[in-house]
Amino acid sequence: MSSAITSSEKIFYPGLMVQQAAYRYPGTRVRLDRPFDLAPELGTAHTYNDLAFLVESTAASLWAHGVRPGDVVAVYKSQNADIMLLACAIARVGAVPAMLAPALDGGTISELLEQLRPGYLITDAARLVDSDLDRVVGRLVPEILLVGRPIGGYRLLRDRYGPPPPFPDTEPGETAIITHTSGTTGLPKMVAQSRRGMQAHINVQRRIARMLRVREPYALCISFVHARTYSALAMGLERGLPFAFLTDHSLGNVRWMFDDFRPGLVETHPNTYILWEELAEEPDGPLSQVKFYIGTFDAIHPRTVKTLLRASRRRRAMYFQAYGQSETGPVTVRPYSRWIASRSQGRCVGHQIPGLTRVRIGWKSDGRIGPIEVRSRGQARTYVGQEKRFSANFTEDGWWDMTDVGHRGRFGCIHLLDREVDRAELLESVLKVEDTVISRLPELTEVVIVPLDGFLQPVVCTRHDRPLDLPAWRAAVADQPPMAKPLQARWVDLPSTATWKVKRLELRRMLLEEGYGIERMALA
């Protein structure tokens, strides 16, 4: 084993992290809500040993197909936890996994592949056909490898076997994995992450996990292509935590999985937590054993934090809010106990992380509110194919612009108010108004206030798409800025990212576009 790989015990190396965990905790259980597409015959009950075997055997197949160190291998397949194993197997060969969200349409994928120019694409029949990618993929990628059933003349990934590949030399500062941004403001940007940068993300979790002595079974229901997934996986493997990986966030599936697995540590997207508020209302329900909730990806409504914490029967249950980006990793962390959640407002996202980040409020127009700017040890390397755009996001003195607006609180915490592009005139924070309204109307599962030409247009979703109680709405917004009559829509009709963030600019375009917007989105 080379010296570069030996150092991977301290520097993130996805190609070996599963195998190293299996060496220490071979029998630790792993539960799935659907079998891996890579090996459906193995079912849904696994151990760390099983995962290590799948990573090694898949790496051997990749090597037999000609994948070599330094190659870029794109992964675009149907949602399943084996996406993580594919990333690890690609890294095991010494190649660079480029992770593409299954929810992206074929046109977006084509544009991203143009930027990546990978040597290989791992996909499946469903993604190829449903996205119409099969018509253009041949000119974008030299080699296509399929997982699952065959289609056309494409080769199956696991139709070749051979000896394990040699351990490659990988420098800590070189690109270890490519993920992408959520794409809330347009085409997602391909973010190149180094081993050293990703290790900085992991160190934050490691520090917190050691302090809290975390040994809880860990349920993950998040995007398997996101950078956050790999730092979460690395931390859990390092501590030998039992895992449950969920591909389906529906209430029935979560209830079934959690009743058996009984997680003490749970992580999902903020808008999924809103959906799970219904589970929190069940006495001794699926969330009753949860001690720690983790929330990244986006700010969460205070109502949801309070609801989740009330659902737990564990003493000192906590919700951890992390604010950051794919480009920076976690920037601030804010723990919420039941007591803190009952007395705080959701725009506070916490303090900078000692030893990892520094945060400042940049140039200010009113002496208080301004752009949030960051220095981070977890900084990504670049945007693949858009290197100038990445460099342009730094200020002249080297701070990264988060493209968010906020202010610093009395005790030094950072308050996130809005994305810069979502600001509304004469309104300090659109998000703060949304927090207030949704806290007053329990039947709401989402409210998005869209600044249009001269007025504010609320778009609301309700639990089970029940009709909105308009008198209750009017009472809830009576002391808020004037708004138009709310438009009620189904959640599935709102434009959203792979991590369930609402694409506010796209929603605004839909509302302004003649013959589309309100008429097409409104519920009957």
Side-chain angles (χ1 to χ4, degrees):
M1 187 178 293
S2 71
S3 59
I5 298 302
T6 301
S7 68
S8 67
E9 293 178 359
K10 295 182 180 179
I11 301 294
F12 171 76
Y13 178 61
L16 280 181
M17 64 181 181
V18 176
Q19 298 91 312
Q20 289 171 334
Y23 179 79
R24 297 178 63 192
Y25 314 105
T28 301
R29 62 180 177 140
V30 177
R31 295 294 179 267
L32 313 174
D33 60 355
R34 55 171 287 188
F36 291 132
D37 297 325
L38 273 173
E41 70 279 1
L42 298 182
T44 58
H46 295 269
T47 64
Y48 277 18
N49 254 348
D50 298 331
L51 268 56
F53 168 78
L54 284 172
V55 170
E56 283 292 315
S57 60
T58 303
S61 293
L62 289 167
W63 186 264
H65 279 288
V67 179
R68 293 296 181 266
D71 289 342
V72 174
V73 181
V75 178
Y76 174 60
K77 69 172 293 292
S78 299
Q79 174 76 341
N80 199 330
D82 57 8
I83 290 173
M84 297 181 294
L85 301 186
L86 286 168
C88 293
I90 294 165
R92 169 67 178 82
V93 174
V96 179
M99 314 307 293
L100 305 174
L104 296 177
D105 61 83
T108 300
I109 291 295
S110 295
E111 291 188 66
L112 296 180
L113 291 176
E114 287 273 11
Q115 294 176 0
L116 282 170
R117 288 295 174 177
Y120 297 81
L121 171 67
I122 298 177
T123 185
D124 56 27
R127 289 293 81 213
L128 273 178
V129 174
D130 293 348
S131 65
D132 287 331
L133 198 60
D134 56 325
R135 300 178 183 180
V136 298
V137 74
R139 68 175 177 82
L140 298 173
V141 185
E143 187 75 35
I144 313 297
L145 299 174
L146 288 182
V147 174
R149 67 181 179 88
I151 182 174
Y154 300 117
R155 293 193 292 174
L156 291 174
L157 170 62
R158 296 181 68 84
D159 68 357
R160 290 190 181 182
Y161 294 92
F167 294 101
D169 286 315
T170 58
E171 293 300 323
E174 293 301 309
T175 300
I177 188 169
I178 299 170
T179 60
H180 61 76
T181 61
S182 59
T184 52
T185 58
L187 183 72
K189 299 176 282 291
M190 303 300 302
V191 184
Q193 310 277 1
S194 71
R195 290 177 56 206
R196 183 182 290 115
M198 286 293 291
Q199 185 61 49
H201 304 187
I202 296 164
N203 288 344
V204 178
Q205 303 166 76
R206 175 191 285 168
R207 194 184 310 171
I208 295 172
R210 285 177 177 171
M211 180 178 65
L212 298 176
R213 300 179 181 177
V214 174
R215 290 293 179 190
E216 306 287 338
Y218 192 177
L220 273 171
C221 182
I222 59 180
S223 169
F224 295 122
V225 304
H226 200 279
R228 164 64 198 154
T229 304
Y230 297 91
S231 62
L233 180 64
M235 184 279 293
L237 289 170
E238 183 180 279
R239 296 191 68 81
L241 305 183
F243 274 107
F245 298 121
L246 283 74
T247 62
D248 176 6
H249 61 240
S250 68
L251 297 181
N253 185 64
V254 174
R255 191 179 289 113
W256 167 66
M257 284 288 290
F258 284 15
D259 281 347
D260 172 65
F261 187 72
R262 309 304 289 176
L265 180 62
V266 171
E267 181 168 1
T268 191
H269 311 125
N271 276 324
T272 306
Y273 276 133
I274 293 176
L275 176 69
W276 290 359
E277 285 184 15
E278 198 166 332
L279 296 174
E281 298 167 2
E282 301 175 11
D284 296 323
L287 303 179
S288 61
Q289 293 301 309
V290 179
K291 187 170 185 179
F292 303 114
Y293 299 94
I294 300 175
T296 56
F297 301 101
D298 206 359
I300 192 169
H301 295 298
R303 182 194 82 183
T304 303
V305 175
K306 295 172 186 175
T307 302
L308 294 172
L309 292 174
R310 282 199 304 268
S312 174
R313 297 182 60 192
R314 302 287 293 274
R315 292 184 60 199
R316 301 188 181 91
M318 301 187 78
Y319 181 95
F320 284 90
Q321 167 74 60
Y323 165 63
Q325 292 179 343
S326 297
E327 296 93 327
T328 62
V331 169
T332 64
V333 176
R334 176 79 191 275
Y336 286 89
S337 65
R338 294 183 179 96
W339 187 88
I340 294 173
S342 68
R343 290 162 175 80
S344 62
Q345 55 90 13
R347 294 302 96 214
C348 176
V349 293
H351 293 79
Q352 63 188 23
I353 304 167
L356 178 67
T357 60
R358 293 168 59 199
V359 185
R360 75 179 186 184
I361 303 301
W363 179 85
K364 299 176 280 295
S365 59
D366 67 354
R368 187 173 71 100
I369 296 172
I372 300 174
E373 297 172 352
V374 173
R375 290 183 186 270
S376 173
R377 291 184 182 274
Q379 190 77 50
R381 297 187 69 229
T382 191
Y383 293 144
V384 178
Q386 299 186 65
E387 288 76 10
K388 290 184 179 179
R389 184 175 182 179
F390 184 83
S391 298
N393 211 72
F394 288 96
T395 64
E396 291 184 0
D397 53 349
W399 291 73
W400 176 262
D401 184 356
M402 297 289 285
T403 66
D404 291 328
V405 174
H407 67 87
R408 193 179 292 276
R410 184 171 53 163
F411 299 107
C413 60
I414 300 299
H415 289 245
L416 169 66
L417 298 180
D418 285 313
R419 295 291 299 270
E420 288 179 351
V421 295
D422 299 327
R423 299 282 284 163
E425 291 184 14
L426 305 178
L427 196 61
E428 181 182 78
S429 172
V430 170
L431 295 178
K432 187 183 291 186
V433 175
E434 293 172 357
D435 284 344
T436 300
V437 173
I438 204 168
S439 69
R440 295 172 177 175
L441 294 171
E443 66 268 29
L444 291 185
T445 56
E446 183 61 285
V447 55
V448 182
I449 297 174
V450 184
L452 297 180
D453 296 333
F455 67 99
L456 300 174
Q457 175 62 64
V459 179
V460 302
C461 303
T462 61
R463 187 178 291 187
H464 304 301
D465 296 328
R466 298 187 184 105
L468 178 66
D469 184 337
L470 284 175
W473 169 268
R474 286 192 286 269
V477 301
D479 60 348
Q480 298 300 304
M483 287 180 268
K485 181 180 178 180
L487 163 66
Q488 184 177 354
R490 295 171 297 185
W491 169 258
V492 294
D493 292 328
L494 297 183
S496 62
T497 70
T499 57
W500 271 40
K501 291 181 184 178
V502 175
K503 295 183 176 181
R504 291 172 180 262
L505 292 183
E506 176 67 10
L507 179 58
R508 185 177 189 274
R509 184 195 65 77
M510 292 168 63
L511 294 173
L512 291 173
E513 187 175 301
E514 185 178 356
Y516 188 84
I518 292 177
E519 291 78 9
R520 187 163 174 180
M521 290 178 57
L523 289 173

